[in-house]
Amino acid sequence: MKRKLLLAVVMGILLFLNGNELKYIAAADGSSTIERYVGEIRLFPYRDFRIMEDGWEVLNGMQKVQEFNPDLYSVIGTTFGGDDFSFSLPDLRGANPLPNINYMISVKGSLPGSADIKSHAGMLLYPGILNNAFKEANGNGRTPDLRNAGPLPGIKYYYSDNPNDSNVYIGEIRLFKKEDMKDINGWLRCDGAELKIAEYIPLFSLIGDRFGGRNGQFMNIPNLIDAEPSADVSYYISINGKYPGDK
């Protein structure tokens, strides 16, 4: 009952704001469009219907018709199953790092090489080949070695040392190289920290207290320390960005 009352209060505040403050927080750069590659895989600690309306699907092995999804098919083909008429999305339900955290794939976006995405901080998880600003995270140069960290064979981590990102959702979780995060704002390490709800209303409206909470005034972010794939990278959650469904 207390949880329902708290959520009602939070949603009332959001309605009172009429979206203006949210839009400022969610899109301080004036942009409301998330640019991404078709087939790009991201990690969300919520399964909000607005994310799905924005072109993201849970990775549960669902079959897609080739004819209706030509760009996505050109990226993944039948790597994860399929035939002459359909293909399967990867099934990552067993790879989610915690309950209530889901890998999701973008079924729309740009094809690599046709319109390359310049603004992307941290690792990018992709079931195809990327180039330009992205380097495979294989331990060469400054890249962390994440060759064995992909959730399935055929899905690789790519590294970008760009600290800025206008193409991120509030609450989205990404892997970052720890040394790149020394002076970066807008991201918190996923270490289970307790936050004041009043200071993180947009984030709370998405994840609630499913990762912990106290007295109706505090919330916890996910603790993914044990899921970190190597000593030089950590999971971080975005406290800024686009609010799902915001136009």
Side-chain angles (χ1 to χ4, degrees), residues 21-22 34 54-55 67-68 71 120 122 141 152 184 190 194 197 199 201 203 232 241:
E21 183 176 344
L22 272 182
I34 291 288
D54 204 16
E67 181 181 359
F68 301 145
D71 287 347
H120 187 98
L152 270 184
I184 303 301
C190 289
E194 185 177 78
I197 292 173
E199 296 177 3
I201 290 175
L203 180 62
D232 57 346

Side-chain angles (χ1 to χ4, degrees), residues 29 32 52 64 111 126 159 161:
D29 64 348
S32 62
M52 296 180 178
K64 310 286 285 186
L111 285 171
Y126 201 66
Y159 173 74
D161 59 2

Side-chain angles (χ1 to χ4, degrees), residues 198-211:
E199 296 177 3
Y200 298 90
I201 290 175
L203 180 62
F204 179 74
S205 71
L206 292 168
I207 70 173
D209 59 359
R210 61 172 56 93
F211 302 104

Side-chain angles (χ1 to χ4, degrees), residues 14-41:
L14 297 181
L15 290 173
F16 174 77
L17 291 173
N18 195 30
N20 293 329
E21 183 176 344
L22 272 182
K23 288 180 181 178
Y24 173 76
I25 296 172
D29 64 348
S31 171
S32 62
T33 301
I34 291 288
E35 296 180 357
R36 73 269 194 164
Y37 290 120
V38 62
E40 185 177 333
I41 295 171

Side-chain angles (χ1 to χ4, degrees), residues 94-165:
N96 294 327
L98 273 182
N100 296 317
I101 297 180
N102 303 286
Y103 285 107
M104 302 186 78
I105 191 168
S106 178
V107 297
K108 65 180 184 180
S110 301
L111 285 171
S114 63
D116 289 306
I117 307 303
K118 304 297 183 183
S119 173
H120 187 98
M123 311 301 160
L124 189 151
L125 198 57
Y126 201 66
I129 303 299
L130 292 179
N131 47 29
N132 292 344
F134 297 96
K135 300 177 181 178
E136 185 179 342
N138 56 12
N140 293 331
R142 294 191 66 249
T143 71
D145 190 353
L146 299 178
R147 286 174 292 181
N148 298 317
L152 270 184
I155 302 177
K156 298 179 181 180
Y157 278 105
Y158 289 84
Y159 173 74
S160 170
D161 59 2
N162 185 349
N164 302 308
D165 198 336

